[in-house]
């Protein structure tokens, strides 16, 4: 049989990532729900159970997500702390910056009060009549579950948090013997997030019912309030990147934030197209090395930051919580806001790149502090997808800045290379990009399992990301 050579290669048909269809479906559902709410308010109010059903599915996932995330997070702290100065500096910076971002979210939420006047729920919050509400001793005893496993089924998030911390610290003490258990919990977390991903496919239906019911009950005011929250969130994230991160980057490393963002422009396109910063994790490591950060610093700081440096997610959680409380007519007191901030600082770790995880963490925080507000999460569903890009972009930029800062502090940054790269004199060579060269064994396995399919799907939008085939791979 004759071989035909020299013919033009067939162009592969570009495939659209399935997440794009979900995104489009949510947009259509929000528009349809708002339209039904305005045109047929009485009928729209009757659709409220649809939104409540979706919230119920999210609540079902709260306990396992919080448990797995915190156990793995505590284990990651122990792992990162063993690498010495780099890990210690990175973790210290991440904790301070995440707390600062949470505080900014609370500040902006208290200034704009976007949900004020909606009154979509009860007008007052009635505390339980039990002695636990006034007796600190009873409250503390209530955190201790009946058994180790009952915390996962009792619906008490504080009990889940308590047990997760115990398990995490116990695994730290076990050292190498605890590694298989951590691996098993990591697999369980992957299963839980897979289920959550399946649940998110009914988000358009939940968003339609929730938005229709809210607009039907409150009229056009609901649209104004949701739009105000979304715009305020985007502005807050933009100011956080330019003012806070930009000022810090210039003060420590003498780097212009806009030059850094231009250098990372291709990664920003990937993030916007997928609403996740996870897809560019290997590329960020490679680009940080190319810009002059040493391989050990980039290899430690970037993966750790993806679990502990979630500035955009932190801002979102606090602003969304205050919005829901105001919209339901039961604002959070200052003490409740502070305790919520501390809870979110723990619970948000490790869930940055998973669709729906931010929504589940939001529900978990409200369930732990004000259970009466959890149903209000259904209102956020309609605009959560619209805010996910800002979250991902802020998380990604925060990790890029953190890597340069840690490199500067540890004197592991090549200033001459940094200047040349940001000036465009030494562009990043896409043809030599190999994710495997910049990740450890654990990260390679994780990326291969979760991230590369998404990256491959998005390649059709922003161009090929893979290195060309070598003779050994042809």
């Amino acid at each position: 049989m004759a071989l035909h050579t020299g013919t033009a290669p067939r162009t592969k048909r570009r495939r659209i990532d399935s997440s794009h269809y979900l995104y489009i479906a949510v947009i259509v559902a929000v528009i349809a729900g708002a339209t039904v709410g305005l045109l047929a308010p009485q009928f729209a109010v009757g659709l409220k159970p649809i939104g409540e059903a979706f919230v119920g599915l999210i609540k079902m996932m709260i306990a396992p997500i919080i448990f797995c995330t915190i156990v793995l997070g505590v284990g990651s702290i122990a792992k990162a702390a063993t690498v010495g100065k780099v890990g210690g500096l990175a973790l210290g910076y991440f904790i301070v910056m995440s707390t600062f971002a949470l505080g900014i979210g609370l500040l902006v939420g208290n200034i704009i009060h976007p949900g004020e006047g909606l009154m979509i729920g009860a007008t007052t919050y009635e505390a339980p009549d039990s002695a636990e509400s006034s007796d600190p001793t009873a409250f503390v005893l209530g955190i201790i579950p009946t058994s180790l496993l009952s915390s996962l089924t009792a619906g008490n998030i504080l009990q889940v948090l308590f047990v997760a911390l115990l398990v995490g610290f116990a695994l730290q003490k076990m050292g190498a013997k605890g590694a298989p258990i951590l691996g098993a919990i990591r697999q369980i977390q992957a299963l839980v997030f897979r289920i959550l991903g399946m649940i998110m496919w009914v988000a358009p239906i939940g968003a339609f019912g929730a938005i229709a019911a809210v607009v039907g009950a409150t009229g056009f005011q609901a649209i104004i309030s949701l739009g105000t929250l979304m715009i305020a969130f985007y502005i807050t994230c933009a100011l956080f990147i330019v003012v806070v991160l930009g000022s810090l980057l210039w003060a420590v490393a003498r780097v212009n934030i806009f030059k850094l963002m231009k250098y990372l422009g291709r990664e920003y396109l990937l993030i916007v197209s997928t609403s996740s910063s996870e897809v560019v994790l290997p590329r960020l490591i490679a680009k940080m090395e190319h810009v002059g950060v040493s391989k050990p610093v980039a290899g430690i700081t970037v993966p750790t930051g993806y679990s502990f440096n979630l500035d955009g997610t932190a801002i979102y959680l606090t602003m969304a919580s205050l919005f829901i409380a105001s919209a339901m007519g039961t604002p959070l007191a200052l003490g409740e806001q502070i305790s919520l901030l501390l809870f979110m600082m723990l619970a948000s770790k490790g869930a940055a790149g998973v669709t729906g995880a931010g929504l589940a963490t939001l529900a978990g925080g409200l369930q732990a502090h004000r259970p009466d507000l959890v149903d209000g999460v259904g209102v956020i569903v309609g605009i959560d997808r619209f805010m996910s890009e800002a979250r991902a972009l802020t998380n990604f930029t925060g990790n890029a800045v953190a890597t340069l800062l840690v490199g500067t502090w540890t004197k592991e940054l090549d200033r001459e290379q940094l200047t040349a790269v940001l000036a465009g004199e030494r562009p990043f060579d896409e043809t030599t990009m190999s994710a495997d060269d910049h990740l450890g064994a654990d990260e390679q396995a994780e990326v291969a399992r979760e991230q590369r399919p998404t990256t491959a799907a998005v390649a059709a939008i922003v161009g090929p990301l893979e290195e060309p085939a070598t003779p050994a791979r042809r």
Side-chain angles (χ1 to χ4, degrees):
M1 181 169 49
L3 293 177
H4 297 279
T5 59
T7 58
R10 291 193 305 173
T11 302
K12 292 184 178 179
R13 186 177 181 180
R14 293 183 176 182
R15 297 180 59 187
I16 299 178
D17 187 359
S18 59
S19 64
H20 288 73
Y21 294 113
L22 177 60
Y23 190 86
I24 294 172
V26 171
I27 295 176
V28 173
V30 170
I31 296 174
T35 303
V36 171
L38 291 173
L39 299 180
Q42 292 184 345
F43 171 75
V45 172
L47 298 177
K48 186 177 181 180
I50 298 177
E52 292 176 341
F54 179 76
V55 173
L57 291 173
I58 293 294
K59 289 169 64 176
M60 177 181 71
M61 305 302 298
I62 292 174
I65 286 177
I66 295 298
F67 176 81
C68 294
T69 299
I70 291 179
V71 170
L72 293 175
V74 172
S76 297
I77 289 177
K79 180 180 178 181
T82 61
V83 302
K85 186 177 181 180
V86 174
L89 279 174
L91 285 173
Y93 170 80
F94 294 156
I95 293 173
V96 171
M97 190 54 65
S98 294
T99 305
F100 186 69
L102 287 166
I104 289 178
L106 287 179
L107 177 64
V108 175
N110 279 287
I111 291 175
I112 64 175
H113 300 290
E116 202 169 42
L118 282 184
M119 305 302 290
I120 60 175
T123 56
T124 59
Y125 171 58
E126 298 180 1
D129 295 330
S130 63
E132 293 184 7
S133 61
S134 57
D135 186 356
T137 302
F139 173 78
V140 173
L141 292 176
I143 297 177
I144 303 175
T146 304
S147 68
L148 199 65
L149 297 179
S150 66
S151 61
L152 296 175
T153 59
N156 188 324
I157 300 302
L158 292 180
Q159 291 184 357
V160 176
L161 179 61
F162 175 71
V163 171
L165 289 173
L166 285 179
V167 173
F169 286 121
L171 288 172
Q172 282 187 19
K173 295 295 183 181
M174 292 176 65
K177 293 182 179 179
I181 302 176
L182 274 174
I185 295 177
R186 187 173 289 108
Q187 295 300 319
I188 294 174
Q189 184 191 49
L191 172 63
V192 169
F193 280 150
R194 182 70 65 184
I195 296 173
L196 181 63
M198 295 166 61
I199 292 175
M200 291 307 296
W201 276 100
V202 301
I205 300 175
F208 172 78
I211 294 295
V214 172
V215 175
T218 62
F220 198 72
Q221 178 62 35
I223 299 176
I224 296 176
S225 296
L226 290 171
T228 301
L229 172 64
M230 189 167 61
I231 293 173
F233 176 68
Y234 267 84
I235 293 176
T236 302
C237 287
L239 291 177
F240 181 84
I241 291 174
V242 175
V243 178
V244 178
L245 295 179
S247 299
L248 189 59
L249 183 62
W250 177 257
V252 175
R254 285 295 187 266
V255 174
N256 187 300
I257 187 69
F258 295 106
K259 288 185 177 180
L260 177 64
M261 294 174 69
K262 180 181 178 181
Y263 170 64
L264 299 173
R266 192 179 181 90
E267 286 66 41
Y268 284 126
L269 288 175
L270 277 168
I271 292 171
V272 170
S273 63
T274 60
S275 299
S276 172
S277 59
E278 294 290 324
V279 296
V280 294
L281 186 151
R283 291 180 57 82
L284 179 59
I285 295 176
K287 280 206 162 183
M288 287 297 98
E289 292 178 12
H290 175 70
V291 85
V293 180
S294 68
K295 195 179 187 73
V297 171
I300 293 169
T301 305
V302 174
T304 306
Y306 264 68
S307 289
F308 293 94
N309 191 36
L310 314 179
D311 301 328
T313 302
I315 296 172
Y316 163 80
L317 290 174
T318 47
M319 289 186 66
S321 299
L322 293 180
F323 171 84
I324 291 173
S326 296
M328 299 189 73
T330 56
L332 293 171
L334 180 60
E336 291 175 314
Q337 292 183 25
I338 294 175
S339 61
L340 179 68
L341 182 149
L342 296 175
F343 178 87
M344 294 300 188
M345 186 173 64
L346 280 174
S348 63
K349 307 308 180 188
V354 183
T355 302
L359 207 60
T361 303
L362 172 64
L366 295 176
Q367 178 73 36
H369 293 79
R370 287 283 297 274
D372 61 310
L373 299 179
V374 178
D375 289 339
V377 174
V379 181
I380 296 292
V381 172
I383 61 172
D384 177 76
R385 290 288 298 181
F386 299 117
M387 296 193 290
S388 61
E389 286 90 354
R391 289 201 303 266
L393 290 172
T394 306
N395 291 338
F396 173 78
T397 306
N399 285 320
V401 170
T403 306
L404 289 177
L405 294 180
V406 174
T408 302
W409 287 327
T410 57
K411 303 186 185 310
E412 295 287 338
L413 178 63
D414 186 338
R415 303 292 310 185
E416 189 269 337
Q417 173 74 3
L418 173 67
T419 303
V421 169
L422 294 185
E425 299 173 3
R426 300 175 187 175
F428 182 77
D429 188 357
E430 295 287 344
T431 62
T432 62
M433 171 63 194
S434 175
D436 294 341
D437 292 339
H438 304 279
L439 296 179
D442 293 341
E443 288 80 9
Q444 286 185 36
E446 187 68 18
V447 170
R449 182 172 60 252
E450 295 293 339
Q451 298 163 4
R452 287 180 181 166
T454 307
T455 304
V458 179
I461 299 175
V462 296
L465 304 179
E466 302 84 357
E467 60 178 340
T470 61
R473 293 180 183 176
R474 287 190 179 120

